[in-house]
Amino acid sequence: TTALTAAKIPDGMDFAAAAALPCAGLTAYQALTRKVNTAHMNWVLIHGGAGGVGGFALQIAKNLGLNVITTCSKENKSYVRGLGADEVIDYKSEDVTERVMTITKSLGADLILNTVSKESAEEDLNRLAFNGHLISIVDLPDLTGFNPYRKAVSIHSLALGGAHSSKNDLQRKDLRVMAEELAALTVSGKVDPMISKVLPFSALKEGLRELTTRHARGKILVRVTP
């Protein structure tokens, strides 16, 4: 299994950048390049653009030529614009659904990546365009009372690590292929690994505590050796 899934760190990439890519980077990459065909899409809504998965997804979506709407707190607005966001919604003070529909001229988002919650994913159902796709990396929305054929929407779950126990060698191998493709984008400067801080091993607990707040910006790394 290791031989199938292990990817070589390319020339020009240091260990810190390589460590920052999985699993947030591969989760975003799988969502946008494996779960859906973005060729004829216009607007994508990415929740939590200042976080790990959201930040990678934002950059990957821009590389795919998509227009990106993202949600974040007002403190992170300039940060996500720096990553390439076209439109930014302060989820604490603005009505996300209303803003999405205004931005998309009432059509809705062609693709939504939800990194937040089941409840938020249920609200996303009303933010989708006709033939839109909702990808959730948390719980799937409750479809009780929602007619998916009204908008012909598609709903996707995503479990990146599930490939290891799938007994499907093609899916295991694709973990390596995706890592190599994402690393190439990073080395070329098209994707920033978003390393916000590198902590000493003695500060591991503090770093984990910061992650549990779900408000950490980008990626927090821990250097195991001095």
Side-chain angles (χ1 to χ4, degrees):
T1 300
T2 302
L4 286 172
T5 61
K8 181 181 180 296
I9 299 174
D11 294 339
M13 173 176 282
D14 60 21
F15 285 105
L21 295 188
C23 66
L26 290 184
T27 296
Y29 195 78
Q30 186 179 63
L32 290 165
T33 68
R34 299 303 194 264
K35 286 290 183 177
V36 295
N37 180 357
T38 62
H40 302 289
M41 292 183 181
N42 185 10
W43 284 102
V44 54
L45 168 63
I46 297 169
H47 288 279
V53 176
F56 278 116
L58 197 167
Q59 297 179 80
I60 293 165
K62 291 306 299 178
N63 274 287
L64 292 170
L66 297 169
N67 293 308
V68 178
I69 307 167
T70 194
T71 62
C72 67
S73 61
K74 64 180 180 181
E75 294 82 8
N76 286 319
K77 278 194 169 185
S78 60
Y79 174 73
V80 297
R81 285 198 181 279
L83 293 177
D86 298 287
E87 298 285 348
V88 183
I89 302 172
D90 179 356
Y91 67 92
K92 293 182 179 179
S93 65
E94 298 181 88
D95 184 314
V96 176
T97 302
E98 183 178 287
R99 287 276 284 117
V100 168
M101 300 311 286
T102 298
I103 293 166
T104 63
K105 296 180 170 54
S106 298
L107 293 177
D110 301 297
L111 170 62
I112 299 177
L113 177 60
N114 192 291
T115 64
V116 184
S117 66
K118 175 181 179 179
E119 291 74 24
S120 176
E122 288 169 8
E123 294 175 6
D124 283 335
L125 294 172
N126 296 314
R127 300 165 181 153
L128 283 170
F130 186 82
N131 271 337
H133 296 258
L134 170 61
I135 303 175
S136 179
I137 65 169
V138 287
D139 292 328
L140 293 175
D142 182 356
L143 297 178
T144 303
F146 177 78
N147 180 0
Y149 297 101
R150 179 170 58 88
K151 288 186 175 181
V153 301
S154 299
I155 299 170
H156 309 263
S157 61
L158 197 152
L160 181 76
H164 288 290
S165 57
S166 68
K167 298 181 181 179
N168 185 325
D169 284 349
L170 288 176
Q171 289 301 310
R172 288 170 174 168
K173 179 183 176 183
D174 200 41
L175 292 177
R176 171 175 58 80
V177 174
M178 289 190 295
E180 291 170 346
E181 292 172 353
L182 182 57
L185 287 174
T186 304
V187 171
S188 68
K190 294 179 179 179
V191 170
D192 185 336
M194 304 180 300
I195 301 170
S196 61
K197 61 180 72 172
V198 180
L199 303 174
F201 187 71
S202 59
L204 173 62
K205 290 183 180 179
E206 288 79 357
L208 290 172
R209 288 193 192 99
E210 185 172 345
L211 287 179
T212 61
T213 67
R214 296 182 63 85
H215 293 294
R217 179 185 288 183
K219 299 293 295 181
I220 301 173
L221 303 185
V222 170
R223 193 175 299 281
V224 178
T225 56

